[in-house]
Amino acid sequence: MILDQLRRRGRALALAAGVLVAATSFTLLTATVSTSQATTVGTVRKNARSAYDVLVRPPDSQTAVERQSGLVTPNFLSGTFGGITMDQYRRIGGMAGVEVAAPVANIGYLMVSSTVTVDVSRFLDGKASRQILRISPTLTSGLGTYRTSDEYVYLTRSPLTTGSESDHLFESDTLEAGTVDKSTRRYQIKGKYDVCFYFNWDKTEQTEFNLQLPLKPNIIAEDLRDRSAFDPDLSSRMNCQSGQDKATIDVPVSYPVLLSAIDPAAENKLVGLGSTITSGRMLTEQDKPWRVSSAKSVHGQHDSYIPALLSSNPLTAGTLDAAVERLDVGDPAELPSKLGNPTADSFVRGLRGTPVGRTRVDLSKGYRKALTEDSFDTGVYWTVGPVSYRRTSDGDLAAQTRPPQKRGLWITNVNEQPFAGVPEENHQGTQYRKVTSHASTDCIGLGTCDGVDSGRLPNPYIRLVGRYDTGRLPGFSPLSDTPLETYRTPQVTGADSATRAKLDGKPLRPDRNLGGYLSPPPTMLTTLDSVTALTKSRRVPGLQDKAPVSAIRIRVAGVTGVDAASRARVNAVAGAIRAAYPRLQVDVTVGSSPAPQTVALSGSARVTEGWVAKGVALRILRAVDTKSAVLFVLVLVVCALFLGQSALASVRSRRTEIGTLRCLGWSGGEVLRLVLGELAVIGLAAGSAGAVLAYVLGRLLGQPEAGAKSLLVLPVALLLATAAGLIPAWLATRLGPMDAVRPPVTAARRARPVRSVAGLALLNLLRVRGRTLLGAAGLALGVAAFTVLLALTLAFRGEVAGSLLGSAVVAQAREADYLSVVLSLLLGAAGAIDVLVISQRERAADLAVLRATGWTNRELARLTLCEGIGLALLGGLSGAVAGLAGVLALGRGVLHGHLLTVAGAALLATLAATALVAAALTVPIRGLSRIAPAHLLAAD
């Protein structure tokens, strides 16, 4: 009997097609969701481990923005100078579970003096015996452009010789014979003029009647106490050269170098610092400050030294773009006397120039020249504070500016002279950080200090033991990168086209402005044992004397990722540190990821900076588990109800047949077995075809699990078909013999006139309520599932977005999300269309009556279309409301920030489903023209 029923291919094929679609969709979707989940979890676990697991910072070091947003600023270390004692560091390093505790003790920025060589040979006058060129450089660094001091080159074809005064107190190698002027004869040394001394070293222009300073060249320095360190004239220099057709100008430049102390052994374990050494050797625990005897001292009675490693790469950037002028010097024979007397400075600056071209040079070239021990002066160093931020109305960050630097920051203890060579960015650039100077004692070279410096130490000298290249550091995943600015320049790029244009499409690099937004990270490293030699050599005691450590980076033993055991180990260490030192700031960084933030700087500049979001990996794992579980349940429910809807519609279409069987004596159990048997056979056939289809589609879609999961289509199809048919089969057993001839409509209580096609369509939907609810239920379920899935997808992305790891996960999960959302809507619409098509067949007699009474094909088509649209709107709107209610019931702020988006998408889904249903009704509408009223009425 079952096989005989299945020979009626129309009904069997329609139901088999439904089983095939549902089972294949379910299998592919679950495979996609599983693959997406596995990929996400794998990505998170692979990238969850960063350089360190816990970051310990001094008290009150966490900013308000960090507390509110769960972020760590990427440039935090450059603004932290002390706050953790050595005893605290040692105790933390000895706690249970701590594998490595690597401290960083920022000491301060040393200013390293050097020069950048500019070749101006092509601008020379090849015929002149003596000439002067002037360059007027403009420094471009980051987002700023700064005017620097004019620089000069004096080129003579006469030889420049070396000579000294009779008392041997002064020696020069820029002596030149020239036309003698009576007023300048006394400035000669052995009959020659020093053509560079006065312009470079003494611009006071003192006369012989003022005996404050000698007029002749002398080793006594020029008194600059009344001059500002920001005066560009202090950095203006003249290069005096002898030669032909070859001239260079050495432009004075200074570079801030951040000196920090580390534990060499811990640093090597944490990041592999030992592998970065390019010359010399690595620092060791045996490297300590040392003193030399007076016999070996070159600076005084006793000299003390500290060991240091120096980075080979400059971390500050800039370009000098200079206009070159050839000066009108008058009679070349008079130049030696005019340059060799105290009026040299005013003479040169008063010369008229003729522009002859432009030249450009990279500022970083000077850094590589300043790599000798004598380049580093510890007489004064500077510390800087952190940048302050505020949240803007659009949720971005705005860096708050500070007042300009005061000239007092750049005064040395030696005769209160201004510091020479202050980088232009410090007095012309925008300030974001508080800058503090730390002048040394005035007892250099002495064994002990007395007087005003009593109890302090002489400032030490630096002895380089090696150089390192941060480019050789072992790589860490960029998706889980924690702040490593001990070795890496902060990554900052333009956030809009205007800022990117100012940066020429390049990242924003630190400049030489100590108060600037990006401070240069440490480029010189010493040992922790050397900290006291530096901090206690300052004239005024500070926080660094008692608490020199700026941060401690901790790697926890036994941590492999973000699994439960690893999280427990990290939390145990973090908890122990908080319990021992409640005031210290303890951040768990395992599972962190860079979270780009837009920062508004002064003016119109906006940059994107890679801050670090804490706990990203754990949030992603929790969110993906929740999302995958909900996707699985919703897909299962949509597929099962789609089949149940199809099976119920199929049973309703066989009312006459089942009623006839009951009249012939069939029992309810026999009818139940008949219906379930048909569904089981259809499920087996559809499952077999679906297994092949799922395998092929899985391979085409690139799902690695499709091969194994395609075998599940057969049992899934059998299970879904049988389960979906239980309720329809049970309903079939309730049909009595007289139900075969009783129409499946609700009896009318009172006749009402109908004056329009739309009114008749509404009446028809109300008369056959069961059929109407059945058709609307499928579409309502599809729209509701679409709404819930979309809301969860947006919530998932909102939960994990904002970090590089989260963005990578979202990109990987996008295919499964979209496929689940779209297919849920299509399955619901397919169920509604199936019910509508069957209902049209069921109502063929009704339509035949209307046709017989004079209704045209157009009117019947409008009637059918109005019924379909009404049914679709009922189901779609009900599903949208149900979906929104379901999302709200999930709680946890799933709709936070997405309410309008999800509601609008639900309405669009309703309209799309309505359009899909209307389009699908074109098939039965075309069949209306083939209705034979007499034949159908006779059969009825």
Side-chain angles (χ1 to χ4, degrees), residues 757-766 768-769 771-780 783 832-833 835-836 839-840 843 861-879 910-911 913-919 921 925:
V757 174
L760 181 57
L762 179 59
L763 184 60
N764 285 337
L765 291 176
L766 294 175
V768 194
R769 296 175 184 173
R771 186 174 62 201
T772 301
L773 293 177
L774 180 64
L779 195 56
V783 173
I833 293 169
V835 171
L836 284 171
S839 70
Q840 287 298 308
R843 296 173 55 238
R862 287 175 56 197
L863 176 64
T864 303
L865 188 60
C866 286
E867 289 185 21
I869 292 176
L871 186 66
L873 289 176
L874 174 63
L877 293 175
S878 300
T910 300
L911 295 178
T914 303
L916 188 62
V917 170
L921 286 176
I925 286 175

Side-chain angles (χ1 to χ4, degrees), residues 436-494:
T436 304
S437 63
H438 301 267
S440 69
T441 58
D442 199 11
C443 47
I444 187 171
L446 303 177
T448 58
C449 298
D450 55 15
V452 69
D453 297 325
S454 178
R456 307 300 290 172
L457 299 176
N459 60 301
Y461 296 94
I462 292 175
R463 179 65 55 84
L464 297 180
V465 300
R467 297 189 179 131
Y468 66 96
D469 179 5
T470 56
R472 295 188 177 186
L473 279 175
F476 297 96
S477 170
L479 301 182
S480 58
D481 193 16
T482 49
L484 267 177
E485 59 181 17
T486 310
Y487 312 103
R488 184 175 301 153
T489 301
Q491 301 299 306
V492 181
T493 57

